[in-house]
Amino acid sequence: MAGQVFCLVLLLVLLLVTAGMVALFVQGRQDSMDEARARTLSVAETFAHSPGVVPALESANPTAILQPHAEQVREQTRVEYVVVANTRGIRYTHPDPERIGKHFVGPYKEALDGEGFTRTFAGIHGPSVNSVVPIERSDGTVIGLVSVGISVETVNSAADRSIPPSLAVAAIALALTTGAAALVTRRLRRQTHGLEPAEMTRMYEHHDAVLHAVREGVLILDADHRLTLANDEARRLLDLPPDAEGRAVTELGLAPGTAALLASGGSVSDEVLRSGNRLLAVNLRPTDERGGPPGTVVTLRDTTELRAVTGQAESVTERLLLLYEASARIGTTLDVTRTAQELADVATPGFADATTVDLVGPLPQGEDPAVSAEGGLEMRRTAIAAPERGQPLYPLGRKVGFVPSRTRAVHVRLDAEDLEHEVVARIGRRYWDPERVRNLMDHGFHSMISVPLHARGVILGLVNFWRMDDSERFDDDDLSFAEELVARAAVSLDNARRYTREHEMAVTLQRNLLPRGVPDQSALDVAHRYLPARAGVGGDWYDVIPLSGARVALVVGDVVGHGVHAAATMGRLRTGIHNFSALDLAPDELLGHLDELVARIDREEAAADGGVEIAGATCLYAIYDGVSGNCAVARAGHPAPLLVLPDGTVECPDVPAGLPLGVGSMPFEAAEFHVPEGSRLVLYTDGLVEGRARDIETGLELLRDCLVGRDRTPEQTCDDVLAAMLPEQPGDDVALLVARTHVLDPEQVARWPVATDPAAVAGVRKKVAQWLTARGLYEEAFTTELILSELVTNAVRYGEGPIEVRLLYDRNLICEVSDTSSTAPHLRYAATTDEGGRGLFLVAQFAARWGTRYTETGKVIWSEQTVGESDGEGPVGAGLFGDDLFGDDEAGDEAPDDGARDEDARGDDAHGDDTLGGGVFSGGSSDRPDPR
């Protein structure tokens, strides 16, 4: 139909345009002939009546006068010719000069009667028009003729110039008409969707049949939410009145919720509405989504029977989704209490209105369940999920008795006739409280499912699911689902229990292996912090070890990994470091021995497990000397220490970085630098500066910024560093050690060089006695002189010079004798008949500690005495060796007037035969050095 309309309109337009063009052409031709007649006649009359024409004809040579004027008029009026002739027809003028004087062609005699005329004839240029007008004297006599002619083609050429505009106008009209017809056609096709008439007829027939025969209600609403169409099924489902079309949906007597939904105009899918005793699934779709008119199409389905049929399938689907949710939500952590609460939260309200979880008493601490003597389990309420706070269920922490006589779930009705038997016998409760049962029923609780929590043959607890108020009672399907849900949760709870047990074991082990405190010493003020990783304990550690000579060793290390293995390895390394420190080794030598220990541990573990060797740990070992203020540091794959100077600036000493312990056999290098008094040494593990969110360089810069500035105590420094570097629980272990340095006062240190002569021993004793007396150490003088005499004698007899004696008075009194020999005496038991060999034995008896340490130039033999522990009954050793063991020497030193006695004393000392020089207390002849 659209195509036919288009063709009809186009044909009419073409006919109109053609007719107009023909009419325009014919009218143009007619107008051209009229124009030719009028022009020739007017030119001929004008020329004939022009002044001077008559005198020119009467002159002797009319041609000479009239020919120029005739040509001028012809050119100006654009005619073919202007011919002047006499009454006999002889031409005086002509465009062709050769024709002048010849006889006039054509009729002209009619003009001699005094009347001009016009006629049409066929000339050599086609149809032409010729007008002849007489030339009269003033008295009316004809003296000549004027003939003017023009061809029709010349006139038409002027008229043809108006044809193109006419054609353009016609073309524009044709285009506008065609465009309008095309628009009409397009609109018709869009409205009919390009269907042919037969198809449209068939479509409407089908539409009518479907609309009234389908078992689905259809409503069509306009933009104002007025009903424009409703099929029979829609009328039946909604009980619409007969005159429903044309009325607003809010005026049809529908339920308020239904009317509001239909008038919303939005897009709705399968919204369930109640209409009487029916459940209707409603779908709304706007009609203008694809360019249609504004409005809404509504479809209705009666799902009352379908709901009843599909209810069980939906229940199964919901249960499967709940099990899937339980797998995702239960066991997110390895905390027993948290896992129990997750179980309760998942089951409520998706499966039960309230859920309680009771666990065996020691279970949250990771221990195995314990059965009481009566055969029951003492459980505690661990988790609860209920709709209101005022529920009558037992609160958290309440003890609940349970007899583990079953492994299957049971369900009971709280209104059962023999409820006491149900609770005590079937469920296994060890109590019966009728008052609480009545309280539960008063709050609407009507049924319960009780499921034991058991995993790997162990009863872990009991889970109770409760329903109340309008909820349906539990059935057999609910019982099976409850068992499946609890079985999945039991595995997570058992895993959490086992993890908690192992975690507690690791924590206990690590707490026992880490230092319990900081030993007493005066060289450093030490503060320390240890933070375990988020995942549990690890192998980071720190240590503060007092050494001889007012020196202190600072240790920080990190064992690879977490858990019991890392903690145990850390304990072994701490023990090894303490043992190596007792040998007074340099930092680089100590790390070398520790590297061998780690490599041996890795080899043993690899051989036991059948695997490859595992690189074990990193470590930093520093020795600070409280006398000189120097610090020697060596590190094995560990971050370098930071030094905070007293003015607040931060430096990073250049300490060579060795390989981690157990990786290779390369030697370690130590660096020694001076530490000003009052500085802070900061030692740490990589967990402080490195993490997932930042690299180690960024962490070091942040640590520097935190340390720089004001002076702080070590404790304040630790707190500030942890607050700035670790705002949350760290992902790796963190060990931090901050030590403020002190230097012994020069008055607490004394040095004396000793000549390699046995006679020099007496002089040393005298100087030591005077130095101790000046400091109020009267009671320590005897013991100190005894110890120094033995040590100096050994150095004189078996050492190599130079020899030096140094006394340090710190918390204790330290005596040191150094020489350049690399051999050291060893303690042994002397035989009864031996003259010597008891010197070091006496040193070991009188000193709290003694030992030997090697230096770059030799060795130092030292002893340490506890100050102020004498019983006040006289000098130490008086009861063993007499009241005046050193009477001769002391008298000689203090009484110069007794020359003989003084000489005897000096002579005896020089020969080494007195008590301190080489007698029974001397280690000279028997405390021989180790030949190594």
Side-chain angles (χ1 to χ4, degrees):
M1 184 181 295
Q4 293 173 2
V5 171
F6 174 74
C7 292
L8 177 61
V9 173
L10 182 61
L11 180 60
L12 290 176
V13 171
L14 289 176
L15 290 175
L16 290 175
V17 171
T18 303
M21 293 301 297
V22 171
L24 181 63
F25 181 77
V26 173
Q27 184 65 34
R29 292 301 181 184
Q30 184 64 37
D31 292 342
S32 297
M33 295 302 295
D34 294 342
E35 173 67 21
R37 292 188 183 95
R39 184 186 297 185
T40 55
L41 183 59
S42 63
V43 172
E45 289 179 350
T46 300
F47 193 89
H49 295 89
S50 296
V53 174
V54 173
L57 291 175
E58 293 178 347
S59 65
N61 192 359
T63 300
I65 298 172
L66 295 176
Q67 176 67 15
H69 292 291
E71 287 301 311
Q72 183 179 5
V73 170
R74 181 181 67 81
E75 293 178 356
Q76 291 178 353
T77 58
R78 288 179 295 182
V79 295
E80 297 290 335
Y81 55 86
V82 177
V83 177
V84 180
N86 57 19
T87 55
R88 297 189 301 279
I90 302 302
R91 302 186 184 97
Y92 290 135
T93 63
H94 195 278
D96 187 3
E98 294 182 357
R99 296 188 179 185
I100 296 175
K102 295 184 179 179
H103 195 273
F104 191 82
V105 178
Y108 63 89
K109 292 183 178 181
E110 293 86 347
L112 295 178
D113 296 335
E115 294 292 337
F117 65 90
T118 301
R119 66 183 181 86
T120 301
F121 66 95
I124 60 176
H125 297 291
S128 301
V129 177
N130 182 33
S131 295
V132 181
V133 177
I135 300 174
E136 299 178 347
R137 293 188 180 91
S138 58
D139 57 0
T141 59
V142 177
I143 189 172
L145 302 172
V146 177
S147 176
V148 178
I150 188 172
S151 64
V152 178
E153 181 181 357
T154 301
V155 178
N156 288 338
S157 64
D160 290 342
R161 288 193 293 270
S162 64
I163 293 177
S166 301
L167 292 175
V169 172
I172 292 174
L174 180 61
L176 291 176
T177 306
T178 304
L183 290 176
V184 173
T185 302
R186 182 179 178 184
R187 185 172 182 83
L188 288 173
R189 288 189 177 277
R190 186 172 64 251
Q191 292 181 349
T192 59
H193 299 284
L195 298 176
E196 296 297 330
E199 294 177 348
M200 293 180 62
T201 302
R202 185 168 60 254
M203 181 190 69
Y204 279 109
E205 292 175 352
H206 293 172
H207 171 267
D208 188 66
V210 171
L211 190 64
H212 295 285
V214 73
R215 291 296 303 275
E216 185 169 321
V218 178
L219 301 175
I220 298 179
L221 309 177
D222 60 11
D224 297 328
H225 308 301
R226 293 183 178 275
L227 182 63
T228 60
L229 184 144
N231 68 346
D232 299 338
E233 184 67 11
R235 292 177 181 275
R236 184 184 69 84
L237 295 177
L238 296 177
D239 295 328
L240 297 177
D243 58 345
E245 280 84 354
R247 297 170 60 183
V249 293
T250 56
E251 301 173 358
L252 298 178
L254 302 175
T258 304
L261 179 63
L262 298 181
S264 63
S267 180
V268 176
S269 297
D270 293 332
E271 181 77 16
V272 178
L273 294 177
R274 182 175 294 277
S275 176
N277 58 353
R278 300 186 183 95
L279 291 177
L280 303 180
V282 183
N283 292 274
L284 276 71
R285 293 292 184 272
T287 58
D288 55 355
E289 290 183 349
R290 299 184 179 180
T296 306
V297 175
V298 183
T299 60
L300 308 169
R301 294 196 314 275
D302 188 356
T303 61
T304 305
E305 297 180 358
L306 183 61
R307 288 281 174 178
V309 173
T310 59
Q312 295 181 351
E314 291 181 356
S315 178
V316 172
T317 302
E318 291 176 357
R319 298 292 168 80
L320 290 176
L321 292 176
L322 190 58
L323 287 177
Y324 175 78
E325 183 181 2
S327 300
R329 291 178 54 186
I330 298 176
T332 57
T333 64
L334 291 174
D335 181 77
V336 175
T337 304
R338 177 60 183 167
T339 303
Q341 187 62 49
E342 289 171 348
L343 169 59
D345 293 339
V346 168
T348 306
F351 175 66
D353 296 324
T355 304
T356 60
V357 181
D358 305 327
L359 297 181
V360 179
L363 193 63
Q365 287 74 39
E367 300 177 12
D368 292 330
V371 180
S372 64
E374 294 81 5
L377 291 175
E378 292 297 332
M379 298 185 298
R380 289 183 181 272
R381 180 62 46 87
T382 307
I384 182 171
E388 57 183 8
R389 295 183 178 179
Q391 45 79 23
L393 300 173
Y394 283 137
L396 295 177
R398 173 66 180 267
K399 289 185 178 181
V400 180
F402 172 68
V403 178
S405 59
R406 61 182 174 87
T407 59
R408 297 299 305 274
V410 296
H411 68 88
V412 298
R413 296 174 53 178
L414 297 185
D415 56 354
E417 295 181 358
D418 193 4
L419 183 58
E420 179 179 0
H421 180 270
E422 294 281 343
V423 173
V424 176
R426 294 186 58 197
I427 297 181
R429 294 290 189 184
R430 299 178 59 191
Y431 62 89
W432 170 246
D433 190 350
E435 182 64 28
R436 178 162 294 276
V437 174
R438 284 193 295 271
N439 192 15
L440 287 172
M441 296 177 64
D442 292 340
H443 280 77
F445 290 88
H446 53 71
S447 62
M448 177 192 72
I449 288 181
S450 178
V451 186
L453 267 166
H454 58 88
R456 300 179 177 91
V458 178
I459 297 294
L460 306 178
L462 194 68
V463 182
N464 297 322
F465 303 99
W466 307 81
R467 282 188 180 175
M468 56 189 296
D469 297 334
D470 297 332
S471 300
E472 297 181 358
R473 297 181 184 273
F474 289 115
D475 54 20
D476 293 339
D477 293 337
D478 296 329
L479 198 66
S480 300
F481 174 77
E483 287 183 321
E484 177 66 22
L485 179 62
V486 172
R488 297 194 179 195
V491 176
S492 298
L493 280 170
D494 189 61
N495 290 337
R497 177 182 67 87
R498 292 170 178 267
Y499 169 78
T500 302
R501 181 175 59 188
E502 294 182 2
H503 180 72
E504 291 298 326
M505 291 172 57
V507 170
T508 303
L509 176 62
Q510 187 191 42
R511 288 174 180 172
N512 291 331
L513 292 177
L514 282 174
R516 298 296 182 88
V518 178
D520 294 333
Q521 42 81 35
S522 301
L524 298 172
D525 292 336
V526 180
H528 54 85
R529 296 290 187 275
Y530 173 79
L531 293 180
R534 185 185 301 110
V537 297
D540 290 17
W541 86 92
Y542 61 90
D543 232 328
V544 179
I545 305 173
L547 302 177
S548 63
R551 297 174 306 131
V552 180
L554 300 176
V555 187
V556 173
D558 183 4
V559 176
V560 176
H562 296 86
V564 176
H565 178 269
T569 304
M570 177 266 289
R572 298 173 71 178
L573 295 184
R574 277 199 66 217
T575 302
I577 291 176
H578 276 266
N579 292 335
F580 295 143
S581 298
L583 301 177
D584 265 326
L585 299 177
D588 51 345
E589 295 180 14
L590 185 142
L591 289 183
H593 290 289
L594 195 64
D595 180 63
E596 295 178 0
L597 175 62
V598 173
R600 185 168 62 252
I601 292 174
D602 287 342
R603 286 194 299 269
E604 292 174 355
E605 293 180 353
D609 297 338
V612 296
E613 296 185 4
I614 303 173
T618 65
C619 183
L620 183 145
Y621 188 85
I623 297 178
Y624 175 73
D625 190 343
V627 178
S628 64
N630 293 335
C631 183
V633 183
R635 59 189 178 117
H638 202 85
L642 294 179
L643 178 62
V644 185
L645 299 178
D647 60 358
T649 59
V650 179
E651 294 182 356
C652 183
D654 186 12
V655 180
L659 295 175
L661 299 175
V663 172
S665 58
M666 296 296 293
F668 297 95
E669 296 183 59
E672 186 171 355
F673 51 90
H674 181 71
V675 180
E677 185 175 9
S679 300
R680 283 168 289 162
L681 281 168
V682 180
L683 283 65
Y684 52 91
T685 56
D686 58 357
L688 180 68
V689 296
E690 188 176 17
R692 295 181 179 179
R694 66 188 177 209
D695 56 21
I696 191 170
E697 295 298 332
T698 304
L700 286 174
E701 288 298 327
L702 183 60
L703 179 59
R704 286 172 177 266
D705 296 340
C706 179
L707 293 174
V708 73
R710 63 184 179 88
D711 187 23
R712 288 167 284 188
T713 64
E715 290 289 341
Q716 293 173 339
T717 303
C718 289
D719 293 337
D720 294 344
V721 167
L722 293 183
M725 302 291 293
L726 301 172
E728 299 178 354
Q729 184 71 16
D732 191 10
D733 291 14
V734 174
L736 176 63
L737 194 64
V738 180
R740 182 191 295 276
T741 61
H742 297 285
V743 178
L744 293 182
D745 190 280
E747 293 296 324
Q748 297 176 273
V749 182
R751 299 173 183 270
W752 298 283
V754 179
T756 56
D757 183 0
V761 177
V764 172
R765 289 203 312 267
K766 182 177 180 179
K767 294 178 181 179
V768 169
Q770 292 175 349
W771 189 81
L772 293 176
T773 302
R775 285 155 183 79
L777 302 177
Y778 306 102
E779 297 181 356
E780 282 73 21
F782 174 81
T783 305
T784 304
E785 291 182 39
L786 172 63
I787 292 173
L788 279 177
S789 295
E790 295 298 331
L791 297 182
V792 172
T793 301
N794 272 334
V796 170
R797 290 185 175 181
Y798 304 108
E800 298 177 3
I803 302 173
E804 183 182 68
V805 173
R806 187 175 72 164
L807 291 185
L808 305 177
Y809 175 37
D810 188 14
R811 293 176 180 269
N812 298 325
L813 181 62
I814 302 172
C815 304
E816 295 181 350
V817 176
S818 62
D819 59 50
T820 57
S821 172
S822 60
T823 59
H826 290 269
L827 182 65
R828 68 181 182 85
Y829 285 99
T832 305
T833 57
D834 290 342
E835 295 181 1
R838 299 173 180 83
L840 288 183
F841 178 79
L842 292 176
V843 171
Q845 293 298 315
F846 287 108
R849 295 191 305 157
W850 75 280
T852 303
R853 71 171 181 270
Y854 292 92
T855 64
E856 295 180 355
T857 58
K859 68 176 182 298
V860 175
I861 303 178
W862 58 270
S863 68
E864 183 174 335
Q865 303 165 240
T866 303
V867 178
E869 292 189 356
S870 175
D871 57 5
E873 296 180 355
V876 177
L880 290 175
F881 310 110
D883 295 335
D884 192 9
L885 182 63
F886 298 98
D888 292 345
D889 291 329
E890 296 297 329
D893 291 338
E894 294 178 3
D897 57 332
D898 191 352
R901 196 171 184 179
D902 185 42
E903 181 65 24
D904 292 339
R906 286 195 300 270
D908 292 341
D909 284 341
H911 290 83
D913 293 330
D914 66 25
T915 304
L916 295 180
V920 68
F921 305 113
S922 174
S925 60
S926 57
D927 295 332
R928 299 189 178 276
D930 188 347
R932 292 176 295 176

